[in-house]
């Protein structure tokens, strides 16, 4: 409902899906308001939609609210995706999930291009410092990942 309300407030007719009575759908993460090569979209992580244990990463067109792309995620994620821009100006998304997986995602298409698995649930968003991503898990470990 939150994504639909946001999209409707932008004058859009976007509806991610109908929610059955009693079903929980949530947006715990902060959306990415695109810039650079993603300037035409806003990207949301919607938890528990379409299924309770998963979610949907969705990019909506800023002008119309229409879906630019979406990616079903099999594990729940409360993590805000983090945008990273490479030396060529291409935007990538980095995010984690409750399965401990970290995804590198093509920001223009939503395609998952690389995945690694860490020990523990990832709830916090990755922090980026130069060519390093820092992620923490509920298992009590802080990871530093080199971005190349």
């Amino acid at each position: 409902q939150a994504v639909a309300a946001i999209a409707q407030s932008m004058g859009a007719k976007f509806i991610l899906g109908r929610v059955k009575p009693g079903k929980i759908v949530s947006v715990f993460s902060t959306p990415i308001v695109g810039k650079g090569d993603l300037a035409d979209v806003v990207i949301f992580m919607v938890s528990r939609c379409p299924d309770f244990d998963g979610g949907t990463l969705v990019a909506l067109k800023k002008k119309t609210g229409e879906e630019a792309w979406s990616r079903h995620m099999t594990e729940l994620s409360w993590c805000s995706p983090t945008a990273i821009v490479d030396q060529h100006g291409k935007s990538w998304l980095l995010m984690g999930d409750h399965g401990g997986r970290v995804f590198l995602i093509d920001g223009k298409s939503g395609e998952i291009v690389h995945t690694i698995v860490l020990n523990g649930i990832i709830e916090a968003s990755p922090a980026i410092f130069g060519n390093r991503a820092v992620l923490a898990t509920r298992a009590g470990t802080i990871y530093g990942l080199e971005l190349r």
Side-chain angles (χ1 to χ4, degrees):
Q1 286 177 336
V3 172
I6 292 165
Q8 287 174 355
S9 74
M10 298 182 335
K13 297 176 183 159
F14 173 83
I15 297 176
L16 187 59
R18 299 278 179 211
V19 178
K20 295 178 184 176
K23 183 173 180 180
I24 299 170
V25 175
S26 54
V27 178
F28 289 110
S29 63
T30 303
I32 293 174
V33 178
K35 55 186 175 182
D37 65 337
L38 299 180
D40 59 335
V41 297
V42 179
I43 302 169
F44 298 88
M45 180 59 216
V46 184
S47 299
R48 298 197 160 117
C49 182
D51 52 71
F52 189 78
D53 293 325
T56 302
L57 184 64
V58 61
L60 302 180
K61 296 178 183 176
K62 287 181 183 177
K63 288 186 180 179
T64 65
E66 295 175 312
E67 184 179 300
W69 57 261
S70 68
R71 169 74 47 206
H72 177 254
M73 306 302 278
T74 59
E75 293 274 347
L76 188 64
S77 179
W78 296 342
C79 169
S80 299
T82 301
I84 306 164
V85 180
D86 69 18
Q87 67 272 21
H88 305 291
K90 171 136 183 68
S91 296
W92 304 90
L93 310 177
L94 191 67
M95 65 175 286
D97 71 11
H98 281 200
R101 295 178 300 175
V102 179
F103 301 98
L104 180 64
I105 301 167
D106 183 319
K108 287 299 278 183
S109 68
E111 177 187 358
I112 296 172
V113 296
H114 192 71
T115 305
I116 62 169
V117 180
L118 305 179
N119 180 28
I121 294 170
I122 301 169
E123 291 181 337
S125 303
I128 308 299
F129 299 98
N131 69 336
R132 291 223 180 258
V134 179
L135 293 102
T137 69
R138 298 233 6 226
T141 304
I142 298 174
Y143 292 88
L145 307 176
E146 185 178 351
L147 303 172
R148 296 186 246 168

